[in-house]
Amino acid sequence: MRLSDRDAYQNNLFRPVSMWVHVTEAMKEAFFPTRCLVCGSFFRNSRQENRNLKTLIEILSSWEQGFSGLEGFYQKTDLKKEHVEERLGTDLKIFMALMSPFICANCSGTYMAVESPICSTCGAVFESREGENHDCGECLNAPKRFKIARSAGVYDKVLMAAIHCLKYKEKIQLARPLGVLLFMAFRRYWNKENVNLIVPVPLHKRKFRSRGFNTSFLFVREWAFITKALNGSLPVVPVAEDILVRKRWTEPQTGLGRKERLQNIKNAFGVRDSSKIKGGKILLVDDVYTTGATANECAKVLMRAGAARVDVLTLARAM
């Protein structure tokens, strides 16, 4: 994108919102309070503009600048006493800010970020909260095809509910804030030298026709715009939606054991054009890491096609 194009994009993105828009939103909230997508309760949300990309980028900017500007996003909520201020770690505050137009503070307050100690390779969260990162027994016994896997949050409670709302209830409005949350994890664990291509885990064409969208792609589709808006000097990592393909239909992995998952996903993926990934450092993106069967199978296919390295980033990590 040319400099003039980038400036025009940023000018449009941060154009002041009309006063009448604010008045309309205030009246709508007064007469029609927001219903939480997780618990179904009504709550008053004074930050309706959190839905737009501009506000989400402001949250990201605050995160990068030391989280100094988040106070207004999580104050004046209906947080119950059991979710006291001491629980509101930085990651939790950010999650609540991102999800405030859709999920009440009581549900958002159950979010758990992935924190060390974790497995250095697969990112598994250890039960013991003491010690440093180290390889888990599974990774020592059966080395992975990918280099490292990392996740933003634990697949439990509100994050699990949010992913289910997006995937199975077609609450597409959640894709943008969840994508921003995933982008923050990307910036936390990788630098510009580690990745030069982002590849979402694909759906089978039959599943895509049925659902109408690929969650993994929705998470990353605006990353280029976010990167340019945050800092024009940062490199934009391209997203390749059509390189990795799902060659055959597979049953849903949910409910399957480890062996069944491995068998179900075996030889399910292929690479459409290996010349586009030869020597590349690829970041594979998916919604949930459970046993790692899908991630490992995709990494195997990408490495065989000529990739120099494959890393994995998921929104959630099963315990």
Side-chain angles (χ1 to χ4, degrees):
M1 181 180 286
R2 297 172 301 180
L3 182 61
S4 58
D5 293 335
R6 188 182 71 216
D7 291 342
Y9 166 76
Q10 291 177 327
N11 288 338
N12 289 331
L13 184 63
F14 292 97
R15 183 174 295 165
V17 179
S18 167
M19 179 187 69
W20 293 110
V21 174
H22 289 293
V23 171
T24 302
E25 291 292 347
M27 292 180 64
K28 184 171 68 174
E29 183 60 26
F31 290 102
F32 305 101
T34 305
R35 184 187 287 272
C36 176
L37 292 180
V38 175
C39 69
S41 63
F42 289 103
F43 69 100
R44 297 197 178 279
N45 169 38
S46 61
R47 300 294 299 194
Q48 284 290 328
E49 65 270 26
N50 277 20
R51 300 175 189 270
N52 64 47
L53 188 56
K54 170 191 170 181
T55 308
L56 298 182
I57 290 173
E58 289 174 352
I59 296 174
L60 272 173
S61 298
S62 298
W63 173 70
E64 292 196 332
Q65 295 168 14
F67 319 103
S68 59
L70 288 171
E71 300 301 320
F73 290 98
Y74 64 88
Q75 289 178 346
K76 300 180 181 179
T77 61
D78 55 345
L79 195 64
K80 291 181 179 178
K81 291 182 180 179
E82 56 263 33
H83 298 298
V84 293
E85 183 69 29
E86 287 75 12
R87 275 204 60 200
L88 294 182
T90 300
D91 288 320
L92 179 55
K93 292 178 184 178
I94 293 171
F95 181 84
M96 294 177 72
L98 292 172
M99 306 307 296
S100 63
F102 314 108
I103 299 175
C104 72
N106 295 313
C107 289
S108 289
T110 66
Y111 174 73
M112 294 182 291
V114 170
E115 298 176 344
S116 293
I118 60 175
C119 173
S120 303
T121 299
C122 74
V125 180
F126 296 123
E127 290 186 11
S128 173
R129 298 288 80 208
E130 304 294 330
E132 299 179 350
N133 293 349
H134 58 277
D135 279 345
C136 66
E138 182 183 330
C139 288
L140 290 173
N141 294 330
K144 299 292 188 288
R145 302 300 182 102
F146 53 80
K147 188 71 173 178
I148 63 169
R150 295 292 183 266
S151 304
V154 174
Y155 189 51
D156 191 25
K157 298 180 180 178
V158 67
L159 188 56
M160 178 188 291
I163 292 172
H164 286 185
C165 281
L166 172 58
K167 291 177 66 174
Y168 308 123
K169 298 181 181 179
E170 300 181 356
K171 301 299 183 181
I172 305 296
Q173 62 267 39
L174 294 175
R176 176 174 281 172
L178 291 176
V180 171
L181 185 70
L182 194 63
F183 180 83
M184 293 169 63
F186 169 58
R187 293 289 298 274
R188 175 178 293 171
Y189 293 116
W190 285 272
N191 58 44
K192 60 185 179 181
E193 285 82 24
N194 293 141
V195 176
N196 54 30
L197 188 65
I198 296 171
V199 176
V201 172
L203 294 177
H204 187 270
K205 58 184 179 181
R206 197 167 97 197
K207 173 68 75 174
F208 185 83
R209 283 197 298 266
S210 172
R211 183 176 294 171
F213 58 89
N214 179 1
T215 308
S216 301
F217 174 69
L218 291 184
F219 289 151
V220 300
R221 65 176 177 173
E222 292 184 322
W223 282 15
F225 298 121
I226 294 171
T227 301
K228 291 166 187 170
L230 281 176
N231 188 337
S233 66
L234 291 174
V236 174
V237 182
V239 176
E241 185 186 8
D242 58 349
I243 288 180
L244 187 64
V245 296
R246 197 176 287 245
K247 299 187 299 183
R248 64 175 178 83
W249 172 263
T250 58
E251 294 300 322
Q253 295 281 73
T254 305
L256 299 180
R258 183 177 298 275
K259 290 183 178 180
E260 290 80 8
R261 283 173 176 262
L262 291 172
Q263 186 61 37
N264 185 47
I265 210 71
K266 186 176 181 181
N267 298 325
F269 298 96
V271 172
R272 180 167 291 160
D273 186 352
S274 60
S275 66
K276 293 182 179 180
I277 64 170
K278 190 172 183 180
K281 300 174 183 177
I282 296 174
L283 181 67
L284 185 70
V285 175
D286 205 359
D287 52 1
V288 181
Y289 186 113
T290 307
T291 64
T294 299
N296 208 48
E297 185 68 19
C298 289
K300 179 185 75 174
V301 170
L302 291 168
M303 292 294 290
R304 285 180 176 175
R309 168 176 173 153
V310 177
D311 292 339
V312 179
L313 174 62
T314 63
L315 181 63
R317 183 59 160 87
M319 295 290 284

